[in-house]
Amino acid sequence: MSYPSSGGAPARTAVTEAEAEALIRGICFKTGPPRRLGVEVEWLVHELRDPRLPVSPGRLAAAYAALREVPLRSALTVEPGGQLELSSPPAASLTECLTLVSADLDAVRAVLRRDGLTLAGLGHDPWQTPRRFLRQPRYDAMEAALDRTGAAGRFMMCTSASVQVCVDAGHEEPGPLGHVRRWWMAHLLGAVLVAVFANSPFSAGRPTGWRSTRQLRWAQIGAGRAGAPALDADPRGAWARHVLDAPVMCVRRDDDGPWEVPEDLSFRHWARRRSPHAPTRDDLDYHLTTLFPPVRPRGHLELRMMDAQPGEDGWTVPLAVTAALFDDPAAAETAYRAVKPLAERTRGLAAPQNPLWRDAARDGPADPELRETAAVCFAAALDALPRLGAATALVDRVAAFRDRYVARGRCPADDLLDAWRARHDGRPDGSGAPLPTTHPHGKDTPS
């Protein structure tokens, strides 16, 4: 689902601080009855014969050239490290969204399989260190900016993958589907979704101590680039302040030279100083694309916190659960009441830099309160899915995930950790214990 442009006057018209704030308020929350749903599925691309082997840039380039000849309904894009992303168009129903993306994934997998490659549903590459595939000014600038807070940015750019669900912002009026409650709920339910769908416990071939290493990387990047605003009763105002005070990642150039990566320059200060030039509406639109909070308002709400899932259809479970909890009024009310007590654990700090999100990423649903909340939310989602027209097979898939993981205080990361421990030879440092080459309950990377 695309980011709305600020529109109005020409893109190169200079914008003042007050105009920028008004534009942000106007374009990032489009309220109305929830009618549309979207999903963005990211995948690591691995060698079919051995996923521990790095895929050469040449092989990736050839595969993507072949994929560009395939007619797809979803938008196919490439992430900086060569990860593949499919972004659905806005769909009128959960069934429409699932059917469309599933067909596109089947077509993509067929092309990759012919070239000896496969899609891997993991939130963080267990084996590879960050290596850039795309060499573009945007990503050169992004890498330079993120390097200032450590190595986490490179891992995020090059070795991570997710399932991102897009829901409408909601009604202007209060209530279970009101935009204020949906915004607030997304930041508490988001921690539950991090925990339940955690699927990235490894880096560099060894456990990191976190169920979701991907979420750890996002937290390490820092609040300015990858954090949420403080929650209050005015989401538009909070988000506008956050955007204006966020650091500018880069100042673009029209020629082929490297983009400037300023230090300690917020968009607010840029608008006031009007140097190196006065920022334009196009600069504001671009700045919005360089912020990566766990919930990003893009006219709709983009929930960005869930790890990529194992198996060919594992991604359908977080999509179905999220859609049910946000778009069915009864399920939304139940989820709101279930997550409300979690607010105390945030200690008033914004996501993901707060104790609730930290515990979710580290412990998953082994955390008793997160497990209990997840159980309530899954029950509500399973009750709601038939009302949303979900097929029996999808409801059964969600129920199977609930029984396998949520009811047992587990997540997909625990399967990977169990498989690793089974191969452990008893040495306390884990040396000599290779990672499994396939998810124990998925079909991502055959051994």
Side-chain angles (χ1 to χ4, degrees):
M1 296 173 74
S2 61
Y3 210 119
S5 170
S6 58
R12 294 190 178 275
T13 299
V15 63
T16 66
E17 180 184 349
E19 289 169 338
E21 181 173 0
L23 287 166
I24 296 164
R25 284 174 171 270
I27 67 176
C28 291
F29 289 86
K30 301 290 188 182
T31 54
R35 292 195 178 102
R36 297 289 180 176
L37 179 70
V39 68
E40 301 174 17
V41 284
E42 294 177 340
W43 304 85
L44 303 175
V45 179
H46 282 167
E47 290 283 358
L48 188 60
R49 59 194 171 97
D50 187 345
R52 292 166 293 191
L53 298 175
V55 182
S56 71
R59 280 173 56 69
L60 275 177
Y64 282 119
L67 286 172
R68 290 187 187 96
E69 302 301 318
V70 178
L72 302 172
R73 292 283 305 281
S74 304
L76 187 150
T77 53
V78 184
E79 296 298 307
Q83 309 98 305
L84 181 148
E85 178 180 276
L86 286 179
S87 301
S88 73
S93 69
L94 174 60
T95 298
E96 179 185 327
C97 187
L98 287 167
T99 300
L100 186 153
V101 177
S102 295
D104 286 345
L105 279 169
D106 287 344
V108 167
R109 286 193 177 99
V111 171
L112 292 179
R113 192 178 303 114
R114 186 183 65 209
D115 293 336
L117 301 173
T118 187
L119 298 179
L122 295 161
H124 190 280
D125 197 300
W127 301 284
Q128 305 304 322
T129 55
R131 184 186 62 171
R132 287 261 306 282
F133 170 67
L134 297 180
R135 295 289 172 182
Q136 300 171 2
R138 169 184 171 88
Y139 298 120
D140 293 343
M142 181 184 292
E143 184 177 280
L146 294 177
D147 278 350
R148 290 171 178 162
T149 57
R154 294 194 181 204
F155 279 99
M156 177 276 291
M157 291 174 67
C158 299
T159 66
S160 69
S162 67
V163 176
Q164 300 175 17
V165 180
C166 301
V167 297
D168 282 332
H171 291 283
E172 189 69 28
E173 300 80 13
L177 302 183
H179 78 283
V180 174
R181 182 181 288 192
R182 285 161 76 88
W183 174 252
W184 185 89
M185 188 176 80
H187 289 85
L188 295 179
L189 179 63
V192 179
L193 298 175
V194 167
V196 167
F197 296 112
N199 187 37
S200 53
F202 296 103
S203 182
R206 294 291 176 265
T208 63
W210 295 72
R211 269 24 176 230
S212 179
T213 302
R214 173 183 169 273
Q215 186 56 51
L216 170 65
R217 302 299 189 203
W218 282 113
Q220 290 172 331
I221 287 171
R225 183 70 54 203
L231 294 180
D232 63 24
D234 177 19
R236 290 188 180 94
W239 178 244
R241 290 190 296 273
H242 182 75
V243 170
L244 290 175
D245 291 331
V248 172
M249 189 180 79
C250 58
V251 177
R252 295 170 295 164
R253 297 172 51 144
D254 292 331
D255 57 28
D256 294 331
W259 294 357
E260 181 181 349
V261 182
E263 286 198 67
D264 301 321
L265 177 67
S266 68
F267 198 92
R268 188 186 303 278
H269 289 157
W270 189 10
R272 290 176 179 177
R273 297 173 185 173
R274 307 176 79 79
S275 175
H277 59 74
T280 66
R281 293 191 176 195
D282 189 51
D283 289 323
L284 176 61
D285 289 340
Y286 189 82
H287 176 61
L288 286 165
T289 72
T290 69
L291 303 180
F292 310 109
V295 182
R296 186 160 62 176
R298 306 181 64 176
H300 54 274
L301 301 182
E302 181 184 81
L303 280 70
R304 303 170 45 82
M305 70 286 298
M306 291 169 280
D307 283 356
Q309 295 297 289
E312 294 188 354
D313 54 17
W315 61 275
T316 65
V317 176
L319 172 60
V321 170
T322 304
L325 297 179
F326 274 87
D327 290 348
D328 181 84
E333 182 65 28
T334 299
Y336 171 76
R337 294 179 182 277
V339 302
K340 193 173 182 180
L342 297 176
E344 293 185 8
R345 290 178 60 175
T346 69
R347 299 181 186 173
L349 301 174
Q353 284 84 13
N354 67 45
L356 174 65
W357 280 66
R358 178 201 63 209
D359 294 346
R362 184 188 59 211
D363 301 330
D367 180 289
E369 190 175 19
L370 289 170
R371 174 184 178 180
E372 180 180 347
T373 305
V376 173
C377 290
F378 262 72
L382 283 165
D383 186 56
L385 282 171
R387 293 194 292 270
L388 295 179
T392 301
L394 177 61
V395 177
D396 290 346
R397 199 175 303 137
V398 174
F401 187 100
R402 187 264 319 267
D403 295 343
R404 179 171 197 88
Y405 296 115
V406 178
R408 300 169 63 200
R410 291 173 60 86
C411 57
D414 289 308
D415 289 344
L416 291 168
L417 288 166
D418 286 350
W420 183 83
R421 293 183 186 112
R423 290 165 169 78
H424 199 287
D425 64 2
R427 280 176 272 187
D429 65 352
S431 60
L435 284 172
T437 55
T438 183
H439 199 289
H441 302 286
K443 299 178 180 179
D444 302 301
T445 50
S447 57

